[in-house]
Amino acid sequence: MTKPLLLIDVDGPLNPYAAQPERRPAGYTTHRMRPSGWTETRPLRVWLNPGHGEELRALAEAYELVWATTWKDEANDWIGPRLGLPELPFVDWPEMHGAAPHGTFWKTAYVLEYAQGRPFAWVDDDITSHDRAHVKRNHSAAALLLHVDPRLGLLRPDFDALADWAAAL
């Protein structure tokens, strides 16, 4: 049996970028990065929690992990190694930040295309009720769309919800 997908956004779920500036959340370490899309003079500040790598590796028993982030394949260079993750497949967005139907997030249609009818869980800070309704109408398999507060990142209840959802399939 094929595992469900776990589609992982970086900024928000893994990097709580919206936390108070200069006040790194407990358990996180600060990294300075220069992914190819970063054009600022100063490196990008990214907060990562090493414990998230352990949690995601545990979820890999039940899921196929996939990057679903604007970092695309660069998540394998900049994020994965710092969390102890192996190289993961990624959603290669045909267009980023474009228009989306019915008030949905621009990633939603591409997520459905990538999933190709497979069950999936998706963690992102931009998921709304419009995205949930769109997925319910347009995806025949089970789907869990888990909104993550970008001030907090993934928390214990989020990992528990992901594990419970996969176990219930």
Side-chain angles (χ1 to χ4, degrees), residues 65-82:
L65 305 183
V66 176
W67 294 120
T69 172
T70 57
W71 291 72
K72 296 172 39 169
D73 61 329
E74 287 192 279
N76 285 315
D77 299 327
W78 294 99
I79 306 299
R82 287 162 177 85

Side-chain angles (χ1 to χ4, degrees), residues 25-72:
Y28 284 79
T29 56
T30 301
H31 304 271
R32 301 290 177 191
M33 302 181 182
R34 286 194 174 280
S36 65
W38 186 250
T39 58
E40 299 291 323
T41 323
R42 295 175 25 190
L44 174 65
R45 182 216 67 214
V46 177
W47 286 325
L48 296 173
N49 183 331
H52 286 168
E54 184 177 325
E55 296 284 359
L56 290 169
R57 287 190 306 276
L59 287 172
E61 297 294 320
Y63 287 97
E64 177 185 333
L65 305 183
V66 176
W67 294 120
T69 172
T70 57
W71 291 72
K72 296 172 39 169

Side-chain angles (χ1 to χ4, degrees), residues 2-163:
T2 304
K3 293 178 183 179
L5 301 168
L6 175 52
L7 303 164
I8 309 161
D9 183 28
V10 169
D11 295 316
L14 296 179
N15 171 28
Y17 67 89
Q20 286 186 323
E22 308 306 321
R23 304 238 358 224
R24 182 176 64 212
Y28 284 79
T29 56
T30 301
H31 304 271
R32 301 290 177 191
M33 302 181 182
R34 286 194 174 280
S36 65
W38 186 250
T39 58
E40 299 291 323
T41 323
R42 295 175 25 190
L44 174 65
R45 182 216 67 214
V46 177
W47 286 325
L48 296 173
N49 183 331
H52 286 168
E54 184 177 325
E55 296 284 359
L56 290 169
R57 287 190 306 276
L59 287 172
E61 297 294 320
Y63 287 97
E64 177 185 333
L65 305 183
V66 176
W67 294 120
T69 172
T70 57
W71 291 72
K72 296 172 39 169
D73 61 329
E74 287 192 279
N76 285 315
D77 299 327
W78 294 99
I79 306 299
R82 287 162 177 85
L83 296 178
L85 296 175
E87 187 165 314
L88 301 178
F90 63 95
V91 180
D92 191 8
W93 316 110
E95 180 182 349
M96 290 196 285
H97 308 288
H102 315 294
T104 60
F105 181 37
W106 67 264
K107 287 183 184 177
T108 305
Y110 298 131
V111 161
L112 291 180
E113 186 178 313
Y114 187 89
Q116 294 183 346
R118 285 176 65 181
F120 71 88
W122 175 25
V123 294
D124 202 298
D125 60 305
D126 285 306
I127 293 169
T128 69
S129 59
H130 295 289
D131 301 298
R132 287 186 185 89
H134 184 78
V135 169
K136 188 173 184 174
R137 282 191 311 271
N138 295 288
H139 189 69
S140 60
L144 172 66
L145 279 65
L146 185 62
H147 176 267
V148 177
D149 187 328
R151 296 169 299 169
L152 303 174
L154 284 163
L155 301 171
R156 168 87 268 136
D158 300 320
F159 289 110
D160 291 343
L162 291 164

